[in-house]
Amino acid sequence: MDQPTYVEGFHDPEAVKKMTYHPFGNTGLKVSKMSLGGGPLGGIYGDTIETESIQTVHLAVKSGINYIDTAPYYGNGRSEEVIGKALKDVPRRAYYIATKVGRYEFAIERMFDFSAERVERSVERSLKLLGLDYVDVIQVHDLEFAESLDIVLKETLPALKKVVEQGKARFIGITGYNVSVLKEVVERSSVKIDLVLSYARNTMIDDTLKEYLPFFQSRGIGVINAAAVGMGMLCQERDLVAWHPAPQEMKTACEAARDYCEAAGVDLGRLAVQHSLALEGLATHLLGCINLDILKRNLQSVLVPLTPLEEQVARDVVDRFFQPLPKKHWEGVEPAKFWKKFRELQGETHKEEN
């Protein structure tokens, strides 16, 4: 089979034939159209069962998914640990894996650290949890939260370059919600950036990524599209996490869209995934899978085209519920909240010390 990550005797050949593969920027790699998001496996979207999480990783790779994304922040290393356990039974050449640096814990005072010294410690811990000698991609996680982009440019990225030179990673990426900030870092960085990960900016609500895609392509940068379902907002299920940063008006519109789809007998999440897939030029679509059922549903959503009814409902949903929204993003909301809380905590600590 003409696919570098295919391993005879491990993969399901029929499933792999259904998957398509795209160039990963100028890395020379080819990645599956759908990739596995490890956030849910760290428990950040709800409770998980370790044995099922391991089975989920196994089924994903056997089905032709060859790119896995994780991070220390996903359950304070839990996602990396579970994925590491799963990968013990997977041939190393069957997958590419990415992890991140910069974002770590849920506690405000220990959430972010973009220093070069922390990068080194973080990479060592990630490799230990994953049980690997190297990762294929090492990324700066949510860089818009850095107190200054100068820290990312002068410390984080040069430290990642050293990680690559040491053979502990192959390529460097950056991730974030603000696509304009991703572009700015690419423009200003003296370190070569191979990949960018953009999330929730190529959805039925917000198509901001489309505007910036030509720029990234002109630099030979592979673009990873994540969160086609808007971090759960565009799922048929009604259990959106309490911390979701979207404005209430957007959440209300999603509720109405959900009701409309339910009445039509159509799955909103499937419509959202297919809508996101329609943008050409993206390397891979990162979909989080909390269990086997969600993985199977996501594979179905990616591999099976919409029916005429689903296509009509998708158009109706966008026109009726999302086009009228006065604001289609939450740029700046989370960093502003973070720094407000961080400074409040610093103030309280300063008072206690005095």
Side-chain angles (χ1 to χ4, degrees):
M1 193 172 292
D2 185 25
Q3 169 49 37
T5 52
Y6 180 77
V7 178
E8 188 73 38
F10 175 80
H11 282 99
D12 176 346
E14 294 307 312
V16 175
K17 286 176 185 175
K18 295 175 184 176
M19 186 65 67
T20 55
Y21 297 85
H22 301 141
F24 209 20
N26 285 346
T27 64
L29 308 181
K30 291 187 76 173
V31 287
S32 48
K33 185 176 186 178
M34 174 181 164
S35 43
L36 181 67
L41 300 181
I44 64 173
Y45 290 101
D47 295 335
T48 60
I49 301 169
E50 184 174 294
T51 53
E52 185 171 21
S53 294
I54 291 171
Q55 290 171 349
T56 300
V57 175
H58 287 169
L59 179 61
V61 182
K62 287 181 179 181
S63 299
I65 291 172
N66 71 354
Y67 188 73
I68 304 168
D69 177 274
T70 184
Y73 180 66
Y74 301 153
N76 191 21
R78 180 60 180 156
S79 174
E80 291 177 315
E81 181 181 21
V82 170
I83 290 172
K85 289 179 179 180
L87 294 179
K88 287 179 181 178
D89 299 316
V90 179
R92 181 62 182 92
R93 70 184 185 90
Y95 62 87
Y96 304 122
I97 188 161
T99 192
K100 307 181 185 79
V101 300
R103 187 168 192 166
Y104 299 104
E105 301 182 35
F106 278 94
I108 294 293
E109 65 274 19
R110 296 189 301 277
M111 188 176 289
F112 293 98
D113 185 346
F114 293 95
S115 67
E117 187 272 335
R118 186 62 188 273
V119 165
E120 184 178 349
R121 286 193 290 123
S122 179
V123 169
E124 291 300 325
R125 181 171 187 257
S126 292
L127 290 176
K128 184 177 180 181
L129 289 173
L130 290 166
L132 299 173
D133 297 324
Y134 71 95
V135 292
D136 297 280
V137 180
I138 190 72
Q139 302 163 108
V140 185
H141 198 173
D142 291 345
L143 47 71
E144 69 265 32
F145 284 86
E147 191 166 12
S148 166
L149 286 183
D150 287 341
I151 297 171
V152 173
L153 293 163
K154 295 177 181 179
E155 287 205 43
T156 321
L157 286 167
L160 291 187
K161 184 180 179 182
K162 288 183 181 178
V163 168
V164 171
E165 290 169 349
Q166 292 165 352
K168 295 174 182 176
R170 298 171 68 191
F171 304 103
I172 293 171
I174 55 176
T175 85
Y177 180 71
N178 293 29
V179 192
S180 60
V181 177
L182 296 175
K183 179 176 182 284
E184 180 182 349
V185 171
V186 168
E187 289 175 323
R188 294 177 58 190
S189 178
S190 60
V191 174
K192 183 176 182 292
I193 293 170
D194 303 291
L195 306 155
V196 299
L197 186 159
S198 168
Y199 68 94
R201 304 312 294 267
N202 174 37
T203 70
M204 297 177 86
I205 302 169
D206 180 0
D207 64 357
T208 298
L209 180 57
K210 183 178 181 179
E211 174 189 344
Y212 290 86
L213 189 56
F215 167 78
F216 296 127
Q217 290 175 320
S218 72
R219 299 293 182 103
I221 293 172
V223 179
I224 303 154
N225 173 53
V229 294
M231 297 162 59
M233 277 197 306
L234 295 168
C235 290
Q236 198 61 44
E237 290 76 16
R238 299 171 186 272
D239 52 355
L240 189 65
V241 289
W243 50 261
H244 199 292
Q248 187 55 51
E249 193 171 16
M250 191 183 295
K251 293 176 182 177
T252 300
C254 290
E255 281 290 335
R258 208 171 280 126
D259 291 339
Y260 185 81
C261 288
E262 195 172 272
V266 169
D267 185 329
L268 175 61
R270 180 167 149 72
L271 305 187
V273 169
Q274 281 286 326
H275 179 95
S276 193
L277 292 174
L279 179 60
E280 295 184 0
L282 300 170
T284 187
H285 298 265
L286 195 65
L287 298 177
C289 301
I290 197 169
N291 54 39
L292 285 165
D293 179 59
I294 297 299
L295 170 62
K296 291 172 184 176
R297 287 171 58 184
N298 282 341
L299 280 166
Q300 182 82 355
S301 294
V302 168
L303 300 174
V304 180
L306 298 181
T307 65
L309 171 63
E310 288 174 320
E311 290 177 350
Q312 183 58 57
V313 172
R315 288 192 291 269
D316 291 345
V317 163
V318 172
D319 292 343
R320 295 188 187 193
F321 307 110
F322 302 142
Q323 284 292 355
L325 285 172
K327 189 173 183 180
K328 297 179 172 64
H329 63 82
W330 56 88
E331 269 193 26
V333 172
E334 287 188 293
K337 283 183 179 179
F338 167 79
W339 283 108
K340 183 174 184 293
K341 289 180 181 177
F342 183 83
R343 292 185 177 112
E344 287 172 353
L345 283 170
Q346 278 191 318
E348 289 172 8
T349 302
H350 183 68
K351 287 177 184 178
E352 288 173 5
E353 290 174 349
N354 292 326

